[in-house]
Amino acid sequence: MSALSAKLRQLRADAGHTPPQGPAHPERSEAKSKGHATPSPVPRIDGMPSLWPAGKPKAAAPSSLSPDLRRLLQRHAQLKRGPAYLASSDRDVPGIELSPGLRYTEAHVDWLAPPAIIDAGFARMEPVHHHRLLHFDTETTGLAGGTGTRAFMIGAADWHDGRFRIRQLTITSMAAETAMLRTFASWLADDTVLVSYNGKCYDSPLLKTRYRLARLPDPLTGLGHLDLLHPVRRHWKGQWENCRLATAERELLGVVREDDLPGSEAPAAWLTYLRGGSARNLRRVLAHNNQDLKSLAGVLLYMARLPHR
């Protein structure tokens, strides 16, 4: 804002908006001579607040402003007000409300047929029964991590009664985060093995931080964690353009997403909704998260069938 203020001052000077010169007000000259700081009066321009004391005469503003000055003043006013959003009539977020501001969706789909025991040697882990696996993925307010980043959606999937069960938690208000964390913790058992894609470095530490800030017990510490990103990199780094999940699902599973909302746009979708905007992109985030969970399971089973040393 210092550069913007400097530019405002310069443009005001260029436009002739300078404080009156000379001791027009003797009492101000006297105050200045005694070392007291006196604010320089600035005339009111296009809705900008005036610095003149009440009841004092104001210099007349010119009838026209330069286009550059007008644009700069408008931008300055927008920055002070913050972004404006029009209330949308499209506010439907799928699922049922578990508690105020917490939405829950559950779907059972026919997705692959896992063996009873999954060979996890490709990830340098012991074999694990597929009933113990919980695939999980978060959608967050940013990728930087730290205490300022929070998860607004947690998706988790497992094989249940012969089908792939996908459960998703979405908060539609800041106050619902604690309820979301408690619900997710209830899905974890002492012998749960987490399955993620870069979850060891990102999703899991982020959730641990949120549990700590909410003063809740951390349910993730001590659980087995099968992070698929690392074995994918060992096998295909240098062969593919990158080792993102979208690339792995395309190369290994033949999955090509249509109308997919990129993960980088998920924070804006949620914040727009919070400010009264449309829920359309938030629903697309749910669909994106749903596919991420299915792809996690697909990549896991593909790699479990690979020969490994």
Side-chain angles (χ1 to χ4, degrees), residues 9-302:
R9 288 195 297 271
Q10 182 60 47
L11 286 173
R12 281 172 175 158
D14 293 344
H17 296 282
T18 54
Q21 301 299 320
H25 299 278
E27 67 278 9
R28 291 180 187 155
S29 299
E30 182 181 356
K32 186 174 181 180
S33 67
K34 293 180 180 179
H36 299 298
T38 304
S40 299
V42 180
R44 186 180 183 88
I45 303 174
D46 279 4
M48 295 290 288
S50 174
L51 298 181
W52 284 84
K56 298 293 183 180
K58 302 177 183 179
S63 58
S64 62
L65 299 175
S66 69
D68 285 344
L69 179 57
R70 188 174 296 279
R71 282 194 298 270
L72 192 59
L73 291 175
Q74 290 172 347
R75 178 59 178 157
H76 185 274
Q78 290 173 357
L79 289 173
K80 292 185 72 175
R81 288 194 305 267
Y85 291 92
L86 296 177
S88 172
S89 59
D90 180 9
R91 302 283 293 164
D92 181 37
V93 178
I96 61 174
E97 192 169 66
L98 296 183
S99 62
L102 176 61
R103 307 291 294 183
Y104 171 75
T105 62
E106 180 174 323
H108 295 253
V109 298
D110 294 318
W111 181 247
L112 308 176
I117 303 297
I118 293 178
D119 184 354
F122 69 90
R124 299 167 185 171
M125 292 178 62
E126 296 295 322
V128 57
H129 197 288
H130 75 262
H131 283 153
R132 294 174 54 199
L133 299 175
L134 186 73
H135 311 76
F136 85 108
D137 183 53
T138 65
E139 305 297 337
T140 69
T141 57
L143 297 176
T147 57
T149 303
R150 71 179 68 211
F152 64 85
M153 183 181 299
I154 304 176
D158 55 3
W159 282 284
H160 183 73
D161 291 337
R163 306 186 77 194
F164 197 59
R165 176 177 61 176
I166 299 173
R167 293 175 285 179
Q168 293 169 293
L169 298 166
T170 307
I171 57 173
T172 57
S173 73
M174 296 286 192
E177 181 186 29
T178 299
M180 177 181 69
L181 294 173
R182 284 199 178 105
T183 303
F184 179 62
S186 72
W187 298 349
L188 304 173
D190 292 341
D191 64 345
T192 294
V193 175
L194 300 170
V195 182
S196 71
Y197 207 85
N198 198 34
K200 280 187 176 180
C201 295
Y202 183 74
D203 303 80
S204 182
L206 184 144
L207 287 178
K208 288 179 180 181
T209 297
R210 301 315 302 179
Y211 278 105
R212 183 167 62 252
L213 292 176
R215 301 190 178 187
L216 294 174
D218 169 18
L220 301 172
T221 299
L223 298 183
H225 194 151
L226 204 168
D227 191 329
L228 296 174
L229 173 62
H230 307 294
V232 165
R233 278 180 175 165
R234 284 196 298 269
H235 278 80
W236 291 288
K237 185 178 180 179
Q239 300 180 45
W240 298 346
E241 55 182 330
N242 58 57
C243 290
R244 296 170 52 202
L245 179 58
T247 303
E249 68 184 11
R250 184 180 66 246
E251 297 289 340
L252 305 181
L253 309 176
V255 172
V256 179
R257 304 195 191 197
E258 297 181 1
D259 192 35
D260 181 59
L261 186 76
S264 60
E265 297 183 24
W270 185 64
L271 291 172
T272 296
Y273 180 83
L274 287 191
R275 292 166 178 162
S278 171
R280 177 177 180 272
N281 279 347
L282 188 55
R283 292 192 296 269
R284 294 175 68 196
V285 176
L286 277 161
H288 174 92
N289 183 264
N290 182 296
Q291 182 58 56
D292 279 353
L293 295 169
K294 292 170 67 178
S295 293
L296 279 175
V299 173
L300 168 66
L301 295 184
Y302 185 98

